[in-house]
Amino acid sequence: MVWPGLLPMPFILISIPAVVLLRRSPFWLGVTLGLVLLHCQAHRLVHPERPLSPGTVTLVATVASLPTGDEIYQRSDWQVEQIDGAEPAPWWPNRVRLGWYRGPPLAQGERYRLTVTLKAPHGVLNQGSGNRRRQLLADGVSATGYVREGSRLSAERHWRQSLADTLATQTATLPQGDLIRALVLADRRGLDEARWQSLRASGLMHLVAISGLHLTIVAGLCLGLGRVLLPRLWPDPAGRGRPLAWVLAALAVLGYGALAGYGLPTRRAAVMVILALALLWRGRDARPWEILLRAAALVLLFAPLAALSAGFWLSFGAVATLLLLNWARPCGQGAWARLVHLVYLQSGLTLVLVAIQGFWFGSYTLNALWANLLILPLFSLLILPVCLLCGLLALAVPQWAPVLLQWADWSLAPLVWVAEASESASSHWPWLAGPMPGSAWWMLALLLLALVLVVLRPWRGWAWQGALLCLPLASALAFPAPGWRLHLLDVGQGLAAVVERQGRYLLYDTGAAFPSGYSYARQVVLPFLHARGASELDLLVVSHGDNDHAGGLDAITGAMPVAHHLGYGGAPCHRGPSHWQGLRLSWWQANLAGNNGSCTLRIDDGRHSLMLPGDMESAAERRMLNAGAVGPSTVLVSPHHGSASSSSAPFVQALAPQWVLVPAGWGNRWGFPKAAVRARYEALDSQVWVSGEEGQITVHFPPEGAVRAVSYRRHRAPWWYNRQ
């Protein structure tokens, strides 16, 4: 039986009153069905008995996406047909995301027999950075992993792969060839970091991700052409040829969605546009709110986990904002009134999207206001139609490709110019774009809600009550949090710890960096510091030179000012200051090489203490004990990630920590922390938390009372999709 395991008891209990009240209101039927659908889909992705559960298995699968990467390492989605020779039942998910090191060149549509090692969808979880596990589940990915070996069963390619290869060859020498491929086929593999940076700075990233805007433009162009051409080609006073325009518009939307590969955002947008066309075709009073809500209901009916995706809230939030603003202040008559109305809509939309973007991504850009005002009309009327038409004609008639694609390249020049101008403006005036502190997004949301209540006045008396929403902002600014904090970041099998006091910051180690270009310093540490509002570091301590501790050193020093750098790459450990922000700092380092030469830091406020020993092992621990430098500590960051070569019994007993935080990656291949080490701490009644299991761990050291630890998976984000 599958279904009882898919519906956990809390949701069965929630559904009972809904079923009881069905006779009174169909609303409860929608609530019940929504809960059942959501949790059926959710638990089929994470249920421990699902066929694609962690382990090593043999799969027969088809490449389901355009592969990314290079000849050394490739990553793609796969549609699974068989698992260890058996076909999975249709209700189980069959999509996995796999990496293949030194594998053959992959192409969408090819079929392989693979021996793979699978893991549950996972990712690190920290303040200020993304939630990879949530995004994987929103994309319907039931497992991730890597290919051990594989053999090709079928070389038949998907037609989209053939088009992508042809267009890539045709646009290889064009300056905007990467943008042409992104707009025609949703192939964003050619967009490099410089291009993404300029698009982010300008707030124009949404233009290269095929969504409702693109499909609406295509449908509008088809309807416009039909309105002009049909009376000439089919002159019928009764207008019986008019439905043909609607059918052609719907087919164009479906065709463009197929070119884009029908990813989740494209499917969501296609549902909305097709539903709007259907309502308009039937001649119904297709009110905008009706279209929006029905589209959202259909999307969530077939893909309930789409609500875990940022794209869902950005797209539907944008449409809802435009509808609300247009209802509050309709457009007047005349060209000047339309221009003012356009600026009004764009300004309100920018503020709302800044709040949503700040919540999801921890960043903002005010350049989006003027950049979209300049580019969106041009994009709708010229850039997208020219790129799409020229790209498709170039694929159909290759001998015309040089001329056609040159026109498409020229049409994209204004977009590139605006994006580069925005990036330049941001470099001169940093306040135009940048990271958004974690507390800023909800303050902005409260201010926007207060503004809506004061201006629109949906209920009598709310004009002054809306202003009360500004009080949390004043209280947050007037009463800073007392005491100090340790933030042990979840950086996989590495270490990065931030100590915070009164808006000042100390960073101990930086996490790892990899040849692929991925750096935990860029992806986790810096976003966290920005989310906390940090613009500089008072102290940067790098315990030793191993990559998992020092890999992000260059990224940190290149991104923000550092007042004092100690340890690896900086001043010797013993030259560190003895006090910082009213806290006493004690430094110690053994005259040994490697892990045993880690720069060790102890922080003490007179009541509580914190020990940061880096990767020291038993040899350095003995020397530290003999030097009399070990004393009881309230919190200990476990040395060497909880390995058996560290945390010796005398060292542990001398420290007697109340809390032990282990910086070890989830499911790491070394099995850290070792069971014997964990048992050694637990024998002293120490609370042992592992960063890979808990996500970011924040420990509050108050002026009075006991310390308090908060886990991002256990407390801050306790939803099922954050459990590893």
Side-chain angles (χ1 to χ4, degrees), residues 39-86:
H39 293 283
C40 283
Q41 185 185 15
H43 283 266
R44 64 194 279 269
L45 288 171
V46 299
H47 194 279
E49 297 179 6
R50 68 188 186 279
L52 291 172
S53 55
T56 299
V57 295
T58 299
L59 305 178
V60 174
T62 301
V63 183
S65 66
L66 296 176
T68 60
D70 51 32
E71 64 275 6
I72 297 178
Y73 184 80
Q74 301 172 87
R75 180 169 289 278
S76 59
D77 286 0
W78 297 74
Q79 208 76 21
V80 177
E81 301 173 12
Q82 294 181 8
I83 305 172
D84 288 332

Side-chain angles (χ1 to χ4, degrees), residues 407-433:
W407 292 348
D409 192 76
W410 287 337
S411 72
L412 283 162
L415 187 152
V416 174
W417 178 84
V418 169
E420 292 176 349
S422 298
E423 186 176 14
S424 177
S426 298
S427 64
H428 287 88
W429 299 287
W431 53 268
L432 285 174

Side-chain angles (χ1 to χ4, degrees), residues 124-339:
V124 299
L125 182 62
N126 299 276
Q127 180 183 358
S129 53
N131 189 329
R132 181 171 177 265
R133 178 176 170 84
R134 178 178 60 197
Q135 187 58 52
L136 287 170
L137 294 175
D139 293 341
V141 175
S142 179
T144 62
Y146 62 91
V147 178
R148 290 179 173 271
E149 58 181 2
S151 59
R152 188 166 57 188
L153 301 177
S154 171
E156 183 179 354
R157 294 186 167 202
H158 193 277
W159 59 266
R160 201 166 158 262
Q161 180 73 57
S162 301
L163 293 182
D165 292 343
T166 301
L167 192 60
T169 302
Q170 293 174 339
T171 59
T173 59
L174 295 176
Q176 278 71 252
D178 55 343
L179 295 175
I180 296 174
R181 298 193 294 273
L183 291 176
V184 176
L185 292 172
D187 182 5
R188 299 192 293 274
R189 295 176 296 172
L191 298 173
D192 57 21
E193 183 59 31
R195 182 76 81 189
W196 281 117
Q197 180 61 35
S198 63
L199 291 171
R200 278 193 293 265
S202 60
L204 297 177
M205 285 181 60
H206 62 99
L207 297 184
V208 298
I210 295 177
S211 61
L213 171 66
H214 303 70
L215 299 183
T216 301
I217 291 172
V218 169
L221 289 173
C222 289
L223 290 176
L225 288 174
R227 210 172 274 129
V228 173
L229 297 178
L230 273 176
R232 293 171 172 78
L233 300 176
W234 193 343
D236 183 2
R240 283 175 292 187
R242 202 174 305 157
L244 180 60
W246 300 101
V247 173
L248 291 177
L251 291 176
V253 168
L254 294 175
Y256 194 18
L259 285 173
Y262 276 121
L264 178 65
T266 309
R267 292 199 303 270
R268 180 175 60 241
V271 167
M272 180 183 293
V273 176
I274 294 295
L275 179 61
L277 290 174
L279 291 174
L280 292 171
W281 184 7
R282 291 175 59 189
R284 293 191 52 182
D285 181 16
R287 293 169 294 182
W289 286 109
E290 180 183 8
I291 296 174
L292 178 68
L293 293 176
R294 289 192 177 190
L298 281 176
V299 168
L300 295 176
L301 177 66
F302 293 105
L305 298 190
L308 299 179
S309 170
F312 176 87
W313 297 101
L314 285 169
S315 58
F316 282 100
V319 175
T321 299
L322 291 175
L323 293 176
L324 180 62
L325 293 174
N326 199 56
W327 166 77
R329 189 186 294 272
C331 182
Q333 300 294 324
W336 176 252
R338 285 193 291 272
L339 177 61

Side-chain angles (χ1 to χ4, degrees), residues 313-385:
W313 297 101
L314 285 169
S315 58
F316 282 100
V319 175
T321 299
L322 291 175
L323 293 176
L324 180 62
L325 293 174
N326 199 56
W327 166 77
R329 189 186 294 272
C331 182
Q333 300 294 324
W336 176 252
R338 285 193 291 272
L339 177 61
V340 172
H341 190 67
L342 177 63
V343 174
Y344 157 72
L345 290 178
Q346 187 61 52
S347 302
L349 181 62
T350 299
L351 289 174
V352 172
L353 292 184
V354 162
I356 298 176
Q357 183 178 345
F359 171 73
W360 282 95
F361 306 113
S363 63
Y364 75 95
T365 174
L366 298 181
N367 290 310
L369 177 59
W370 66 271
N372 281 279
L373 279 174
L374 289 176
I375 289 298
L376 271 180
L378 192 63
F379 183 84
S380 303
L381 299 175
L382 176 67
I383 296 176
L384 182 61

Side-chain angles (χ1 to χ4, degrees), residues 514-533:
F514 302 96
S516 64
Y518 185 90
S519 167
Y520 278 111
R522 291 193 183 93
Q523 302 299 325
V524 173
V525 181
L526 287 171
F528 168 81
L529 291 171
H530 292 147
R532 301 298 300 177

Side-chain angles (χ1 to χ4, degrees), residues 488-545:
L488 181 65
L489 303 183
D490 182 10
V491 291
Q493 190 61 30
L495 175 60
V498 178
V499 180
E500 174 187 359
R501 181 173 173 84
Q502 298 176 349
R504 311 301 299 180
Y505 297 88
L506 179 158
L507 174 62
Y508 185 92
D509 284 343
T510 65
F514 302 96
S516 64
Y518 185 90
S519 167
Y520 278 111
R522 291 193 183 93
Q523 302 299 325
V524 173
V525 181
L526 287 171
F528 168 81
L529 291 171
H530 292 147
R532 301 298 300 177
S535 58
E536 62 179 345
L537 290 172
D538 289 347
L539 282 169
L540 170 60
V541 184
V542 182
S543 62
H544 62 300

